[in-house]
Amino acid sequence: MKQSQKILATIAVAAFSGALILSVIAPSNEDQVSLDPQQSDAVVDSTAFNSLVEVEQTVTVTDAIESIEAAVEPSPIRVHYFVKVGDTLSGVFSSLGISYQDLQEILIADQVPLQLDTIKPGDHLEFVLEPETKQLSRLVFNISLVEQADYVREEDGKFEYTFLEQEGEWRERHYSGEIRGNFSLSAHQAGLSSNHIGNIARILRDKIDFARTLRAGDRFDVLVREQFLGDHPTGNREIQAVSFELSNGIVSAFLARTVDSMIAKVIV
């Protein structure tokens, strides 16, 4: 009996000691939920700072977008028009919604050069319009790859004409052939254009009767100067020299440059 009482007493003491140890080691509920005042202030300041940064970043990006949009101006409207059969300049202006007054101002600027009087099917016209008002600010007539008739609106509303030309590269080409049938057919077969053939006949009309003088077997040589823009011929050509080897002699002509123009010199 006494032995049992000792055992129970020992268990009771051990239990009491264990409870005392746990109460010392384990933190109280109050310690678990309370925050140091300085730590609390720090948390609040950090949250406010992050919010301010986000707002500042948002405002900055928005302002930048608005600044870019304000700085970018609308681009001019460019209309490329290729003249068709039956087109007139007034009809082209009307179809594009360009005012009759602008047409009149363009024609006034073109009174001396008269470039627009020669437009034909296939010609390229470029109209530059204001993006907001759709008013004509510039007209460019592309005469060739290297030549342009440029009409630009001035502050007073009138148009100023300027002839623009790129230099390009001039290359010489030699054409030769033999008369078979008539000169026109033989020259075409040699590669000469109708324009060149007409110019040769005009230059030498006082020295050669192209209908009667030429005989089968007579030879001709033509030196032509051609303009290129890169590898593309511009269509501009000029005859430098012509020579006919006839049964009764040789007739030659060359172009000599003067201060104002070019003249033909014929050598028989």
Side-chain angles (χ1 to χ4, degrees), residues 13-43:
V13 170
F16 176 78
S17 299
L20 180 61
I21 292 173
L22 288 176
S23 64
V24 172
I25 295 177
S28 65
N29 292 336
E30 182 179 0
D31 291 336
Q32 290 181 6
V33 299
S34 66
L35 293 174
D36 186 90
Q38 293 182 352
Q39 292 180 350
S40 178
D41 291 342
V43 171

Side-chain angles (χ1 to χ4, degrees), residues 124 142-148 164-171 225-237:
H124 176 198
N142 294 281
I143 303 170
S144 68
L145 286 177
V146 294
E147 297 172 319
Q148 292 180 329
L164 305 176
E165 183 176 14
Q166 299 184 54
E167 183 62 27
E169 178 187 359
W170 288 92
R171 305 173 188 174
R225 190 166 172 253
E226 303 177 344
Q227 188 184 36
F228 285 79
L229 189 63
D231 294 329
H232 301 283
T234 65
N236 294 332
R237 302 177 179 182

Side-chain angles (χ1 to χ4, degrees), residues 81-142:
Y81 188 91
F82 293 87
V83 180
K84 304 185 296 297
V85 176
D87 275 345
T88 62
L89 193 61
S90 61
V92 173
F93 270 64
S94 178
S95 66
L96 296 178
I98 302 174
S99 69
Y100 181 76
Q101 182 179 355
D102 284 348
L103 172 62
Q104 292 301 309
E105 293 294 344
I106 288 287
L107 294 178
I108 291 173
D110 194 50
Q111 280 182 344
V112 175
L114 295 177
Q115 295 284 8
L116 297 173
D117 275 6
T118 62
I119 62 171
K120 58 187 181 300
D123 283 345
H124 176 198
L125 300 174
E126 180 180 353
F127 297 85
V128 182
L129 309 176
E130 294 294 337
E132 296 180 357
T133 63
K134 305 299 187 294
Q135 186 181 47
L136 180 67
S137 61
R138 183 182 181 189
L139 169 63
V140 180
F141 172 30
N142 294 281

Side-chain angles (χ1 to χ4, degrees), residues 61-245:
V61 172
T62 303
D63 290 345
I65 294 175
E66 291 178 353
S67 299
I68 293 173
E69 291 178 347
V72 177
E73 297 181 357
S75 300
I77 301 172
R78 296 183 178 273
V79 180
H80 295 269
Y81 188 91
F82 293 87
V83 180
K84 304 185 296 297
V85 176
D87 275 345
T88 62
L89 193 61
S90 61
V92 173
F93 270 64
S94 178
S95 66
L96 296 178
I98 302 174
S99 69
Y100 181 76
Q101 182 179 355
D102 284 348
L103 172 62
Q104 292 301 309
E105 293 294 344
I106 288 287
L107 294 178
I108 291 173
D110 194 50
Q111 280 182 344
V112 175
L114 295 177
Q115 295 284 8
L116 297 173
D117 275 6
T118 62
I119 62 171
K120 58 187 181 300
D123 283 345
H124 176 198
L125 300 174
E126 180 180 353
F127 297 85
V128 182
L129 309 176
E130 294 294 337
E132 296 180 357
T133 63
K134 305 299 187 294
Q135 186 181 47
L136 180 67
S137 61
R138 183 182 181 189
L139 169 63
V140 180
F141 172 30
N142 294 281
I143 303 170
S144 68
L145 286 177
V146 294
E147 297 172 319
Q148 292 180 329
D150 192 22
Y151 306 84
V152 178
R153 183 188 293 275
E154 301 293 321
E155 292 182 358
D156 59 2
K158 299 183 183 300
F159 285 84
E160 181 72 20
Y161 164 79
T162 306
F163 179 76
L164 305 176
E165 183 176 14
Q166 299 184 54
E167 183 62 27
E169 178 187 359
W170 288 92
R171 305 173 188 174
E172 291 185 343
R173 183 174 180 180
H174 176 226
Y175 297 86
S176 63
E178 183 176 314
I179 300 299
R180 296 182 181 277
N182 58 58
F183 171 65
S184 179
L185 178 61
S186 303
H188 270 298
Q189 292 174 346
L192 289 168
S193 67
S194 299
N195 187 43
H196 285 154
I197 295 170
N199 287 336
I200 292 171
R202 178 179 55 80
I203 293 171
L204 298 176
R205 62 178 179 268
D206 295 334
K207 302 300 179 181
I208 299 177
D209 185 343
F210 285 88
R212 299 179 180 180
T213 304
L214 296 180
R215 299 287 185 268
D218 290 344
R219 296 194 57 81
F220 60 89
D221 292 274
V222 182
L223 182 63
V224 177
R225 190 166 172 253
E226 303 177 344
Q227 188 184 36
F228 285 79
L229 189 63
D231 294 329
H232 301 283
T234 65
N236 294 332
R237 302 177 179 182
E238 57 185 28
I239 298 173
Q240 299 294 295
V242 183
S243 177
F244 281 85
E245 185 177 345

